Structures are given as C-alpha cells and as structure tokens.
Amino acid sequence: MTRRTPEADIQRAIVHTLRIVLPRDAIIHHSANEVGSGGTAARQRQAILTGMGVFPGFADLIVLTGGQVLFLEVKSPSGRVSPAQKAFRDMVKPQGFGWALVRSVEDALGALADHGITSRVQALNPRRRASA
C-alpha cells in the first residue's frame, strides 16, 4: 500500500475483530458519509448523498446487537473529533444510544463492555467472569 491510511487500517481491524467476537446476528455497519476532498464532481456527489440522508458527523461504525445500539467513532492515535462528530455524539447520547471514540481494537472491545454488550471474548475470559 503506497498511501498511509492509519484510520482505515484501524477500522478494518476493528470490524474484523467485532465480526469474530459478537454474536452471528450482530450487525456492524459503516456509513460512508463523506466523498472526500476534490473538485466540482466531489462537491456534487456530496450534495447528492446529503439529499439521500447522509448525516454530517455520523459515526464511522454502528453496532446493532441484542437490542442495543453503539456508535463507534474511529480515529488514529493523533486523530481529532470534528465539530460535526461532536454534535452527532451530543445528539445520540441523550437518546440512550451508546457512543465511543476508539483508536484501537482494544478500545472497541472496551467500548462494548462499557456499554453492556457481551462479546465472546468476555464470555470466555474467566477473569472478567469472576469480577462481574
């Protein structure tokens, strides 16, 4: 890979891990909500997507499992949450949905635990079972 994409690499690792540790009927979805920078064509495509329901600041991943919803905002170790992403967080949390900033697979697994989502990793880890 010639272009560095640390955030995308982290997100792929998180999705791969979640597909292993969550129940088979769990849904892990990425909402591609930005076309990216570019010229007129990119701006036109972004306008079309916005008209189709793309929401500014929508989290990178949404996890739906066991009647629970958890939004995961994936960032590289030095990445920052944008104002639109903060606004999205501040809209979904009061509605009772989970939201977490994650920078690694470990962060994502911790977010599952913090929001009461049981994964196969927790179920198999005797240390976690004993302390529960």
Side-chain angles (χ1 to χ4, degrees):
M1 182 184 315
T2 57
R3 187 173 163 200
R4 295 283 302 148
T5 56
E7 194 171 292
D9 294 341
I10 294 165
Q11 184 165 321
R12 279 190 288 274
I14 289 169
V15 168
H16 175 77
T17 301
L18 294 183
R19 286 181 177 156
I20 293 169
V21 304
L22 288 173
R24 293 179 201 263
D25 62 350
I27 296 169
I28 304 147
H29 178 74
H30 168 67
S31 179
N33 58 349
E34 293 180 9
V35 172
S37 59
T40 303
R43 285 192 298 277
Q44 288 174 339
R45 181 69 180 146
Q46 188 68 48
I48 290 168
L49 292 174
T50 300
M52 294 175 67
V54 166
F55 195 89
F58 197 90
D60 294 307
L61 295 171
I62 182 170
V63 178
L64 306 166
T65 185
Q68 296 173 284
V69 177
L70 175 60
F71 293 98
L72 299 176
E73 183 59 48
V74 180
K75 291 292 179 193
S76 68
S78 61
R80 294 183 180 186
V81 179
S82 74
Q85 291 164 336
K86 289 177 184 176
F88 177 81
R89 175 201 62 204
D90 295 345
M91 290 173 74
V92 299
K93 288 178 78 173
Q95 295 182 56
F97 299 117
W99 184 97
L101 171 63
V102 297
R103 298 178 188 275
S104 66
V105 169
E106 293 77 16
D107 285 354
L109 293 173
L112 293 178
D114 291 347
H115 291 87
I117 298 174
T118 302
S119 70
R120 292 183 221 171
V121 172
Q122 293 164 316
L124 295 174
N125 186 339
R127 178 180 283 161
R128 284 212 186 232
R129 267 199 319 250
S131 65

